[in-house]
Structure formats: C-alpha cells, structure tokens
Amino acid sequence: MKKISSTDEALMLFEECSIKHGKAAENGDYKQGNKNHDIIIACILYLYDSQQLQLLEPFLEHQDVNVRLWAAFALLTVERTKAEKTLRDVQDGPCSIYRSDAMYTLREWESGRLKFPWEWARKH
C-alpha cells in the first residue's frame, strides 16, 4: 500500500486517483482501476488515522462523479447526511455505471453491511 506522508498529498492523490479510477472503470482497464483503488484507500486511511476525513467534504461537490462517490463513501461515518445526499443524487442521476455504485453503496450502508477501509485494509 502506498505510503502517504502529508494531508496535502492525501487530498491531491485522492482527487487525482479517483478521476483515474473512474476512467479506468469506464474503459474496462482493471489494472489501472486496481492501482488507483489502492491509492484511494491509502489516502482514506491516512485521513482517517489523522482524524481528518472531514477534509474530503468539498469533494462532495466535485465536477467528477467518481470523486464525489469516493468522498461520499469515506464520509458516511462523519458527514452522514451530506454523504447520503450525494449518493442519492448520483443514484437518481443519468444512467451510468456510477448509478449502480451509488445504489449498492447506499443499500449496503443502510443494511449495516458496508465495510470501511479501516475495518479491512490493514494486516493484523
């Protein structure tokens, strides 16, 4: 997993890799998608560990839908209302692969089955 060394780096990489992850998903490039997924998770973990997840809140308004989705996912535990609204907006938006991402994220969240990186990404 990528080592993040500052809050600024985490935020910059989160945005950049969320965009790249979305493009890779649209193009069916699973290798690039997986690579960027891992970096996004490292960024979320860095912000979680430093109690700064709320710094992702401005990304809920980002022009790129995948950035909004990743921010909403990460913020569900600290900005629930805003994160859920973002997910519902994407779910109710234009038909795309992102609609189902938002729908399933909300479904798992509401059922209590959604797992966050701090619950599964670390080796024990």
Side-chain angles (χ1 to χ4, degrees), residues 21-123:
H21 180 265
K23 288 182 177 160
E26 289 172 2
N27 295 327
D29 186 349
Y30 72 90
K31 287 184 181 182
Q32 279 301 311
N34 290 344
K35 174 184 171 186
N36 285 289
H37 172 273
D38 291 347
I39 297 170
I40 293 165
I41 297 304
C43 294
I44 292 171
L45 286 171
Y46 179 90
L47 294 169
Y48 174 82
D49 289 344
S50 58
Q51 299 180 359
Q52 298 182 90
L53 278 176
Q54 73 281 0
L55 293 177
L56 294 173
E57 188 177 340
F59 292 127
L60 294 175
E61 303 293 326
H62 199 279
Q63 65 185 10
D64 187 279
V65 65
N66 210 47
V67 176
R68 291 195 308 271
L69 281 173
W70 275 109
F73 163 72
L75 288 166
L76 278 168
T77 61
V78 294
E79 292 289 346
R80 179 182 182 158
T81 302
K82 293 175 184 178
E84 286 177 342
K85 180 186 181 318
T86 298
L87 289 167
R88 289 190 201 297
D89 288 348
V90 173
Q91 175 185 271
D92 297 338
C95 188
S96 71
I97 60 171
Y98 304 110
R99 284 180 70 181
S100 61
D101 288 349
M103 180 185 72
Y104 285 109
T105 300
L106 281 167
R107 183 181 294 169
E108 293 302 298
W109 169 248
E110 290 166 352
S111 72
R113 293 187 302 258
L114 189 63
K115 300 292 183 208
F116 296 93
W118 48 89
E119 297 172 316
W120 57 262
R122 294 195 173 96
K123 294 180 181 177

Side-chain angles (χ1 to χ4, degrees), residues 2-38:
K2 177 154 180 61
K3 178 77 170 140
I4 308 295
S5 59
S6 72
T7 300
D8 288 339
E9 180 185 18
L11 294 171
M12 185 268 308
L13 284 172
F14 178 87
E15 179 180 25
E16 178 184 305
C17 292
S18 293
I19 292 168
K20 289 178 180 178
H21 180 265
K23 288 182 177 160
E26 289 172 2
N27 295 327
D29 186 349
Y30 72 90
K31 287 184 181 182
Q32 279 301 311
N34 290 344
K35 174 184 171 186
N36 285 289
H37 172 273
D38 291 347

